[in-house]
């Protein structure tokens, strides 16, 4: 039958069939509920989604070279205590330019100030694979005690060819303190890889740079700014922010 031949029904109901094969109406659910199977022999029902998991909040892709990519309090809210962020970011520094570091600067006043003090030391380590050589050593996951920047990846540099700009791929968690009267620390921890040319015709990789640190803050971070220590982020770079439900 055509849709015009159906009888009037209730807004939001869904037509299904019971165990006997007779048509039934699935009652309208509440806002935010999802349609859930009740198994064989029973019509589905609307139910609340299970708690937990990642919720994509925003993806930003640079349409042109930009000085930074920032996520504001529109997306960093009290809804989540923990966030996950990942991306691939290209440095716009051209061949011959100095090495640059990829940084995270957090804020508690939605970007009016990026002046939080980093912890006295942040642990980190990375494995270096360059052609046939390899090595490992530990390094501070910061650029200086009392600084306001967290180092996600250091020493990014272009090669001597147009298609050899330095790039960082990274992922990590932002965790706000659950109780600022007990601890005034919010944290970032994650891992990052880099491709860099070191101003030569060879491309090098730094496949694993892992670590984290904390900043002293009186309230939750509500703005995250990503940038290089010098120069711009190149067009096509992208970063995505997720809220983590628990």
């Amino acid at each position: 039958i055509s849709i015009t031949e159906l009888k009037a029904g209730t807004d939001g109901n869904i037509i299904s069939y019971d165990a006997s094969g007779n048509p039934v109406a699935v009652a309208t659910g509440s806002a935010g509920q999802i349609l859930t199977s009740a198994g064989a022999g029973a019509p589905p029902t609307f139910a609340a989604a299970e708690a937990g998991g990642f919720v994509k909040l925003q993806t930003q892709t640079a349409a042109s070279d930009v000085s930074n990519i920032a996520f504001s309090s529109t997306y960093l809210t009290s809804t989540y205590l923990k966030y996950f962020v990942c991306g691939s970011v290209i440095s716009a520094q051209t061949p011959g330019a100095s090495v640059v570091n990829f940084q995270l600067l957090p804020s508690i006043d939605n970007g009016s100030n990026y002046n939080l003090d980093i912890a006295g030391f942040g642990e980190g380590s990375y494995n270096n694979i360059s052609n046939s050589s390899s090595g490992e050593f530990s390094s501070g996951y910061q650029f200086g005690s009392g600084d306001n920047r967290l180092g996600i990846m250091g020493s990014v540099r272009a090669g001597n060819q147009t298609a050899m700009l330095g790039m960082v791929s990274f992922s990590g968690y932002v965790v706000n303190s659950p109780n600022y009267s007990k601890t005034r620390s919010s944290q970032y921890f994650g891992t990052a890889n880099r491709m860099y040319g070191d101003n030569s015709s060879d491309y090098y990789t730094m496949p694993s740079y892992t670590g984290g640190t904390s900043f002293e803050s009186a309230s939750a971070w509500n703005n995250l700014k990503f940038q290089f220590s010098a120069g711009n982020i190149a067009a096509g770079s992208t970063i995505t922010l997720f809220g983590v439900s628990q």
Side-chain angles (χ1 to χ4, degrees), residues 120-209:
F121 195 78
E123 294 292 339
S125 65
Y126 56 86
N127 302 316
N128 180 18
I129 298 178
S130 171
N131 292 335
S132 60
S133 63
S134 65
E136 179 178 357
F137 61 95
S138 295
S139 174
Y141 210 66
Q142 63 202 81
F143 299 117
S145 178
D147 205 346
N148 65 340
R149 302 164 296 163
L150 182 148
I152 291 178
M153 174 56 79
S155 302
V156 180
R157 193 178 192 184
N160 63 6
Q161 300 178 44
T162 302
M164 289 179 61
L165 296 183
M167 184 181 77
V168 176
S169 294
F170 73 100
S171 62
Y173 286 93
V174 170
V175 184
N176 284 309
S177 171
N179 187 338
Y180 286 92
S181 68
K182 302 296 183 182
T183 173
R184 293 169 64 87
S185 292
S186 293
Q187 307 166 47
Y188 174 90
F189 59 92
T191 188
N193 305 329
R194 80 181 183 201
M195 295 293 292
Y196 70 109
D198 201 25
N199 199 33
S200 70
S201 59
D202 293 326
Y203 233 170
Y204 298 81
T205 64
M206 188 69 71
S208 180
Y209 184 54

Side-chain angles (χ1 to χ4, degrees), residues 16-188:
S16 184
Y17 297 90
D18 63 19
S20 300
N22 298 313
V24 295
V26 176
T28 306
S30 301
Q33 289 186 323
I34 60 175
L35 190 63
T36 305
S37 173
T45 59
F46 283 98
E50 290 188 12
F54 285 47
V55 178
K56 182 179 176 181
L57 301 176
Q58 186 185 31
T59 294
Q60 293 197 48
T61 301
S64 59
D65 292 1
V66 293
S67 60
N68 64 76
I69 293 177
F71 295 90
S72 72
S73 60
T74 300
Y75 303 97
L76 289 112
T77 67
S78 59
T79 300
Y80 302 101
L81 184 69
K82 182 187 297 182
Y83 295 87
F84 180 78
V85 62
C86 61
S88 294
V89 181
I90 302 169
S91 169
Q93 294 280 80
T94 56
S98 300
V99 296
V100 292
N101 303 314
F102 186 56
Q103 309 168 341
L104 166 62
L105 289 80
S107 171
I108 62 174
D109 56 13
N110 197 26
S112 294
N113 297 281
Y114 296 95
N115 58 0
L116 303 178
D117 287 337
I118 199 170
F121 195 78
E123 294 292 339
S125 65
Y126 56 86
N127 302 316
N128 180 18
I129 298 178
S130 171
N131 292 335
S132 60
S133 63
S134 65
E136 179 178 357
F137 61 95
S138 295
S139 174
Y141 210 66
Q142 63 202 81
F143 299 117
S145 178
D147 205 346
N148 65 340
R149 302 164 296 163
L150 182 148
I152 291 178
M153 174 56 79
S155 302
V156 180
R157 193 178 192 184
N160 63 6
Q161 300 178 44
T162 302
M164 289 179 61
L165 296 183
M167 184 181 77
V168 176
S169 294
F170 73 100
S171 62
Y173 286 93
V174 170
V175 184
N176 284 309
S177 171
N179 187 338
Y180 286 92
S181 68
K182 302 296 183 182
T183 173
R184 293 169 64 87
S185 292
S186 293
Q187 307 166 47
Y188 174 90

